[in-house]
mmCIF file with all atom_site columns, all heavy atoms in Angstrom:
data_model
loop_
_atom_site.group_PDB
_atom_site.id
_atom_site.type_symbol
_atom_site.label_atom_id
_atom_site.label_alt_id
_atom_site.label_comp_id
_atom_site.label_asym_id
_atom_site.label_entity_id
_atom_site.label_seq_id
_atom_site.pdbx_PDB_ins_code
_atom_site.Cartn_x
_atom_site.Cartn_y
_atom_site.Cartn_z
_atom_site.occupancy
_atom_site.B_iso_or_equiv
_atom_site.pdbx_formal_charge
_atom_site.auth_seq_id
_atom_site.auth_comp_id
_atom_site.auth_asym_id
_atom_site.auth_atom_id
_atom_site.pdbx_PDB_model_num
ATOM 1  N N   . ASN A 1 9  ? 21.069 17.850 -6.871 1.00 0.00 ? 324 ASN A N   1
ATOM 2  C CA  . ASN A 1 9  ? 22.010 18.925 -6.587 1.00 0.00 ? 324 ASN A CA  1
ATOM 3  C C   . ASN A 1 9  ? 23.011 18.577 -5.492 1.00 0.00 ? 324 ASN A C   1
ATOM 4  O O   . ASN A 1 9  ? 23.799 19.400 -5.082 1.00 0.00 ? 324 ASN A O   1
ATOM 5  C CB  . ASN A 1 9  ? 21.254 20.212 -6.219 1.00 0.00 ? 324 ASN A CB  1
ATOM 6  C CG  . ASN A 1 9  ? 20.554 20.126 -4.867 1.00 0.00 ? 324 ASN A CG  1
ATOM 7  O OD1 . ASN A 1 9  ? 20.728 19.180 -4.117 1.00 0.00 ? 324 ASN A OD1 1
ATOM 8  N ND2 . ASN A 1 9  ? 19.755 21.131 -4.570 1.00 0.00 ? 324 ASN A ND2 1
ATOM 9  N N   . GLY A 1 10 ? 22.937 17.347 -4.992 1.00 0.00 ? 325 GLY A N   1
ATOM 10 C CA  . GLY A 1 10 ? 23.960 16.875 -4.074 1.00 0.00 ? 325 GLY A CA  1
ATOM 11 C C   . GLY A 1 10 ? 23.602 16.945 -2.618 1.00 0.00 ? 325 GLY A C   1
ATOM 12 O O   . GLY A 1 10 ? 24.341 16.468 -1.765 1.00 0.00 ? 325 GLY A O   1
ATOM 13 N N   . LYS A 1 11 ? 22.464 17.547 -2.283 1.00 0.00 ? 326 LYS A N   1
ATOM 14 C CA  . LYS A 1 11 ? 22.099 17.660 -0.866 1.00 0.00 ? 326 LYS A CA  1
ATOM 15 C C   . LYS A 1 11 ? 21.900 16.303 -0.229 1.00 0.00 ? 326 LYS A C   1
ATOM 16 O O   . LYS A 1 11 ? 22.209 16.098 0.932  1.00 0.00 ? 326 LYS A O   1
ATOM 17 C CB  . LYS A 1 11 ? 20.833 18.506 -0.723 1.00 0.00 ? 326 LYS A CB  1
ATOM 18 C CG  . LYS A 1 11 ? 21.049 19.975 -1.053 1.00 0.00 ? 326 LYS A CG  1
ATOM 19 C CD  . LYS A 1 11 ? 19.770 20.770 -0.840 1.00 0.00 ? 326 LYS A CD  1
ATOM 20 C CE  . LYS A 1 11 ? 19.980 22.234 -1.190 1.00 0.00 ? 326 LYS A CE  1
ATOM 21 N NZ  . LYS A 1 11 ? 18.740 23.007 -1.042 1.00 0.00 ? 326 LYS A NZ  1
ATOM 22 N N   . LEU A 1 12 ? 21.348 15.350 -0.997 1.00 0.00 ? 327 LEU A N   1
ATOM 23 C CA  . LEU A 1 12 ? 21.120 14.027 -0.430 1.00 0.00 ? 327 LEU A CA  1
ATOM 24 C C   . LEU A 1 12 ? 22.332 13.145 -0.620 1.00 0.00 ? 327 LEU A C   1
ATOM 25 O O   . LEU A 1 12 ? 22.675 12.333 0.232  1.00 0.00 ? 327 LEU A O   1
ATOM 26 C CB  . LEU A 1 12 ? 19.900 13.379 -1.092 1.00 0.00 ? 327 LEU A CB  1
ATOM 27 C CG  . LEU A 1 12 ? 18.574 14.083 -0.855 1.00 0.00 ? 327 LEU A CG  1
ATOM 28 C CD1 . LEU A 1 12 ? 17.444 13.268 -1.465 1.00 0.00 ? 327 LEU A CD1 1
ATOM 29 C CD2 . LEU A 1 12 ? 18.327 14.316 0.599  1.00 0.00 ? 327 LEU A CD2 1
ATOM 30 N N   . ALA A 1 13 ? 22.983 13.277 -1.785 1.00 0.00 ? 328 ALA A N   1
ATOM 31 C CA  . ALA A 1 13 ? 24.114 12.408 -2.081 1.00 0.00 ? 328 ALA A CA  1
ATOM 32 C C   . ALA A 1 13 ? 25.230 12.595 -1.068 1.00 0.00 ? 328 ALA A C   1
ATOM 33 O O   . ALA A 1 13 ? 26.000 11.677 -0.789 1.00 0.00 ? 328 ALA A O   1
ATOM 34 C CB  . ALA A 1 13 ? 24.627 12.701 -3.492 1.00 0.00 ? 328 ALA A CB  1
ATOM 35 N N   . ALA A 1 14 ? 25.339 13.827 -0.498 1.00 0.00 ? 329 ALA A N   1
ATOM 36 C CA  . ALA A 1 14 ? 26.401 14.091 0.463  1.00 0.00 ? 329 ALA A CA  1
ATOM 37 C C   . ALA A 1 14 ? 26.091 13.535 1.843  1.00 0.00 ? 329 ALA A C   1
ATOM 38 O O   . ALA A 1 14 ? 26.938 13.539 2.714  1.00 0.00 ? 329 ALA A O   1
ATOM 39 C CB  . ALA A 1 14 ? 26.632 15.607 0.567  1.00 0.00 ? 329 ALA A CB  1
ATOM 40 N N   . ASN A 1 15 ? 24.911 13.067 2.066  1.00 0.00 ? 330 ASN A N   1
ATOM 41 C CA  . ASN A 1 15 ? 24.502 12.579 3.374  1.00 0.00 ? 330 ASN A CA  1
ATOM 42 C C   . ASN A 1 15 ? 24.803 11.097 3.500  1.00 0.00 ? 330 ASN A C   1
ATOM 43 O O   . ASN A 1 15 ? 24.263 10.291 2.755  1.00 0.00 ? 330 ASN A O   1
ATOM 44 C CB  . ASN A 1 15 ? 23.003 12.808 3.580  1.00 0.00 ? 330 ASN A CB  1
ATOM 45 C CG  . ASN A 1 15 ? 22.606 12.619 5.033  1.00 0.00 ? 330 ASN A CG  1
ATOM 46 O OD1 . ASN A 1 15 ? 22.910 11.599 5.633  1.00 0.00 ? 330 ASN A OD1 1
ATOM 47 N ND2 . ASN A 1 15 ? 21.921 13.601 5.586  1.00 0.00 ? 330 ASN A ND2 1
ATOM 48 N N   . PRO A 1 16 ? 25.656 10.703 4.463  1.00 0.00 ? 331 PRO A N   1
ATOM 49 C CA  . PRO A 1 16 ? 26.030 9.292  4.592  1.00 0.00 ? 331 PRO A CA  1
ATOM 50 C C   . PRO A 1 16 ? 24.893 8.393  5.022  1.00 0.00 ? 331 PRO A C   1
ATOM 51 O O   . PRO A 1 16 ? 24.964 7.197  4.912  1.00 0.00 ? 331 PRO A O   1
ATOM 52 C CB  . PRO A 1 16 ? 27.145 9.328  5.654  1.00 0.00 ? 331 PRO A CB  1
ATOM 53 C CG  . PRO A 1 16 ? 26.862 10.570 6.451  1.00 0.00 ? 331 PRO A CG  1
ATOM 54 C CD  . PRO A 1 16 ? 26.298 11.548 5.464  1.00 0.00 ? 331 PRO A CD  1
ATOM 55 N N   . LYS A 1 17 ? 23.823 8.980  5.554  1.00 0.00 ? 332 LYS A N   1
ATOM 56 C CA  . LYS A 1 17 ? 22.702 8.163  6.000  1.00 0.00 ? 332 LYS A CA  1
ATOM 57 C C   . LYS A 1 17 ? 21.752 7.768  4.866  1.00 0.00 ? 332 LYS A C   1
ATOM 58 O O   . LYS A 1 17 ? 20.777 7.057  5.092  1.00 0.00 ? 332 LYS A O   1
ATOM 59 C CB  . LYS A 1 17 ? 21.899 8.918  7.075  1.00 0.00 ? 332 LYS A CB  1
ATOM 60 C CG  . LYS A 1 17 ? 22.653 9.096  8.378  1.00 0.00 ? 332 LYS A CG  1
ATOM 61 C CD  . LYS A 1 17 ? 22.958 7.764  9.051  1.00 0.00 ? 332 LYS A CD  1
ATOM 62 C CE  . LYS A 1 17 ? 23.623 7.986  10.398 1.00 0.00 ? 332 LYS A CE  1
ATOM 63 N NZ  . LYS A 1 17 ? 23.969 6.726  11.056 1.00 0.00 ? 332 LYS A NZ  1
ATOM 64 N N   . LEU A 1 18 ? 22.056 8.245  3.637  1.00 0.00 ? 333 LEU A N   1
ATOM 65 C CA  . LEU A 1 18 ? 21.240 7.872  2.476  1.00 0.00 ? 333 LEU A CA  1
ATOM 66 C C   . LEU A 1 18 ? 19.756 8.165  2.748  1.00 0.00 ? 333 LEU A C   1
ATOM 67 O O   . LEU A 1 18 ? 18.921 7.277  2.763  1.00 0.00 ? 333 LEU A O   1
ATOM 68 C CB  . LEU A 1 18 ? 21.434 6.393  2.149  1.00 0.00 ? 333 LEU A CB  1
ATOM 69 C CG  . LEU A 1 18 ? 22.850 5.968  1.793  1.00 0.00 ? 333 LEU A CG  1
ATOM 70 C CD1 . LEU A 1 18 ? 22.904 4.448  1.650  1.00 0.00 ? 333 LEU A CD1 1
ATOM 71 C CD2 . LEU A 1 18 ? 23.344 6.625  0.528  1.00 0.00 ? 333 LEU A CD2 1
ATOM 72 N N   . LYS A 1 19 ? 19.455 9.443  2.945  1.00 0.00 ? 334 LYS A N   1
ATOM 73 C CA  . LYS A 1 19 ? 18.129 9.835  3.402  1.00 0.00 ? 334 LYS A CA  1
ATOM 74 C C   . LYS A 1 19 ? 17.001 9.358  2.489  1.00 0.00 ? 334 LYS A C   1
ATOM 75 O O   . LYS A 1 19 ? 15.934 8.990  2.953  1.00 0.00 ? 334 LYS A O   1
ATOM 76 C CB  . LYS A 1 19 ? 18.065 11.355 3.558  1.00 0.00 ? 334 LYS A CB  1
ATOM 77 C CG  . LYS A 1 19 ? 18.859 11.885 4.729  1.00 0.00 ? 334 LYS A CG  1
ATOM 78 C CD  . LYS A 1 19 ? 18.688 13.394 4.835  1.00 0.00 ? 334 LYS A CD  1
ATOM 79 C CE  . LYS A 1 19 ? 19.456 13.948 6.016  1.00 0.00 ? 334 LYS A CE  1
ATOM 80 N NZ  . LYS A 1 19 ? 19.321 15.423 6.105  1.00 0.00 ? 334 LYS A NZ  1
ATOM 81 N N   . LEU A 1 20 ? 17.222 9.410  1.193  1.00 0.00 ? 335 LEU A N   1
ATOM 82 C CA  . LEU A 1 20 ? 16.163 9.000  0.279  1.00 0.00 ? 335 LEU A CA  1
ATOM 83 C C   . LEU A 1 20 ? 16.079 7.487  0.152  1.00 0.00 ? 335 LEU A C   1
ATOM 84 O O   . LEU A 1 20 ? 15.014 6.923  -0.075 1.00 0.00 ? 335 LEU A O   1
ATOM 85 C CB  . LEU A 1 20 ? 16.388 9.626  -1.101 1.00 0.00 ? 335 LEU A CB  1
ATOM 86 C CG  . LEU A 1 20 ? 15.262 9.485  -2.116 1.00 0.00 ? 335 LEU A CG  1
ATOM 87 C CD1 . LEU A 1 20 ? 13.992 10.149 -1.595 1.00 0.00 ? 335 LEU A CD1 1
ATOM 88 C CD2 . LEU A 1 20 ? 15.659 10.120 -3.446 1.00 0.00 ? 335 LEU A CD2 1
ATOM 89 N N   . PHE A 1 21 ? 17.232 6.826  0.315  1.00 0.00 ? 336 PHE A N   1
ATOM 90 C CA  . PHE A 1 21 ? 17.275 5.374  0.137  1.00 0.00 ? 336 PHE A CA  1
ATOM 91 C C   . PHE A 1 21 ? 16.592 4.637  1.275  1.00 0.00 ? 336 PHE A C   1
ATOM 92 O O   . PHE A 1 21 ? 15.883 3.641  1.056  1.00 0.00 ? 336 PHE A O   1
ATOM 93 C CB  . PHE A 1 21 ? 18.729 4.909  0.019  1.00 0.00 ? 336 PHE A CB  1
ATOM 94 C CG  . PHE A 1 21 ? 18.892 3.423  -0.067 1.00 0.00 ? 336 PHE A CG  1
ATOM 95 C CD1 . PHE A 1 21 ? 18.575 2.745  -1.234 1.00 0.00 ? 336 PHE A CD1 1
ATOM 96 C CD2 . PHE A 1 21 ? 19.368 2.690  1.008  1.00 0.00 ? 336 PHE A CD2 1
ATOM 97 C CE1 . PHE A 1 21 ? 18.732 1.367  -1.333 1.00 0.00 ? 336 PHE A CE1 1
ATOM 98 C CE2 . PHE A 1 21 ? 19.524 1.313  0.934  1.00 0.00 ? 336 PHE A CE2 1
ATOM 99 C CZ  . PHE A 1 21 ? 19.210 0.656  -0.239 1.00 0.00 ? 336 PHE A CZ  1
#
Side-chain angles (χ1 to χ4, degrees):
N324 70 8
K326 291 182 181 178
L327 296 185
N330 193 308
K332 292 296 184 182
L333 299 174
K334 289 182 179 179
L335 189 61
F336 176 74

